Amino acid sequence: MSGIPRFSLASLVIDCHDADALAAFYGRLLGWEVKARDADWVHLRSPDGSLGLSLQGEAGYVPPHWPERPGAQQKMLHPDIRVDDLDAAVRHAVALGATEPPAQRQSDLRVLLDPAGHPFCLFLTAAEAVAAVEAVE
């Protein structure tokens, strides 16, 4: 043994006002099920069990601003979610409660805001992005 302990990322935790509401959004968006629940905390897990997402209610939660502005609450991290049809995925996420800010920096991905105001990205795989560009040309 090298003396270095083994690390394995098991879950990400996202703070919000309402853990149940945000868990319902991400559960429907990703097709993940609730695996554990507490008063202000809900844990989702991917169907293959490889990754978890926990939503934690915080009374003093302040949503981040996107795009970032000096002096405003900044995002700390954001989920990147691969999709096979970007336009359909955006429509589906918006129907579930996401919002699409007008500022978009790239054509092969969309930044959306979840119901608690956290940015997340929907993107095509590299091959799908190239095919989408070629279809437009």
Side-chain angles (χ1 to χ4, degrees), residues 100-129:
E100 184 177 10
Q104 297 292 325
R105 298 178 178 162
Q106 294 175 251
S107 62
D108 60 343
L109 70 84
R110 296 291 185 286
V111 176
L112 300 176
L113 304 176
D114 70 22
H118 299 101
F120 65 96
C121 295
L122 300 178
F123 71 97
L124 297 170
T125 62
E128 292 159 336

Side-chain angles (χ1 to χ4, degrees), residues 45 59 82 90 94 96:
R45 180 134 323 258
R82 184 180 299 123
V90 168
V94 168
L96 294 175

Side-chain angles (χ1 to χ4, degrees), residues 26-28 30-36 42-47 53:
Y26 278 109
R28 289 190 309 265
L30 299 170
W32 292 10
E33 294 182 17
V34 171
K35 295 297 182 179
V42 181
H43 181 71
L44 304 169
R45 180 134 323 258
S46 63
L53 180 64

Side-chain angles (χ1 to χ4, degrees), residues 6-135:
R6 183 176 163 195
F7 292 84
S8 177
L9 181 63
S11 184
L12 296 173
V13 180
I14 299 177
D15 292 344
C16 57
H17 282 300
D18 184 340
D20 287 314
L22 199 55
F25 170 78
Y26 278 109
R28 289 190 309 265
L29 183 72
L30 299 170
W32 292 10
E33 294 182 17
V34 171
K35 295 297 182 179
R37 183 182 306 268
D38 204 345
D40 289 321
W41 178 83
V42 181
H43 181 71
L44 304 169
R45 180 134 323 258
S46 63
D48 67 3
S50 64
L51 186 61
L53 180 64
S54 295
L55 299 304
Q56 183 170 311
E58 295 289 345
Y61 169 74
V62 176
H65 286 274
W66 192 90
E68 293 84 357
R69 294 187 305 215
Q73 175 68 41
Q74 302 295 303
K75 71 180 182 326
M76 302 298 266
L77 61 89
H78 65 274
D80 282 345
I81 301 169
R82 184 180 299 123
V83 299
D84 60 0
D85 182 327
L86 190 55
D87 293 333
V90 168
R91 286 190 302 274
H92 180 70
V94 168
L96 294 175
T99 56
E100 184 177 10
Q104 297 292 325
R105 298 178 178 162
Q106 294 175 251
S107 62
D108 60 343
L109 70 84
R110 296 291 185 286
V111 176
L112 300 176
L113 304 176
D114 70 22
H118 299 101
F120 65 96
C121 295
L122 300 178
F123 71 97
L124 297 170
T125 62
E128 292 159 336
V130 169
V133 170
E134 289 173 351

